[in-house]
Amino acid sequence: MKAESKAQQRAAGAALSAKRGDTKVGDLQGASKDMYDSMTEEELDDMASTSTKDLPDHKD
């Protein structure tokens, strides 16, 4: 699954960082916290690695 916006890609990156133990889970908020709880590390990695070049800032 690829990110559909820059905001979604950044949230996935934050959730992935927590999933890997690089940041605290308690520091997550909003979408990144939901992603942490509902997605696997592989899914988060795929979404976080999406190029942001042609993505909108936020999904409509």
Side-chain angles (χ1 to χ4, degrees), residues 25-46:
V25 177
D27 291 342
L28 298 177
Q29 300 178 28
S32 58
K33 186 171 179 86
D34 293 339
M35 288 178 173
Y36 176 86
D37 292 333
S38 65
M39 298 175 75
T40 66
E41 185 174 337
E42 185 177 322
E43 290 171 323
L44 289 169
D45 186 50
D46 187 36

Side-chain angles (χ1 to χ4, degrees), residues 3-17 28-29 31-33 35 44 47-50 52 55-59:
E4 296 179 13
S5 69
K6 291 177 184 177
Q8 191 178 45
Q9 188 266 349
R10 286 190 301 268
L16 179 61
S17 179
L28 298 177
Q29 300 178 28
S32 58
K33 186 171 179 86
M35 288 178 173
L44 289 169
M47 189 172 283
S49 66
T50 302
T52 59
L55 294 179
D57 288 334
H58 295 278
K59 185 178 174 188

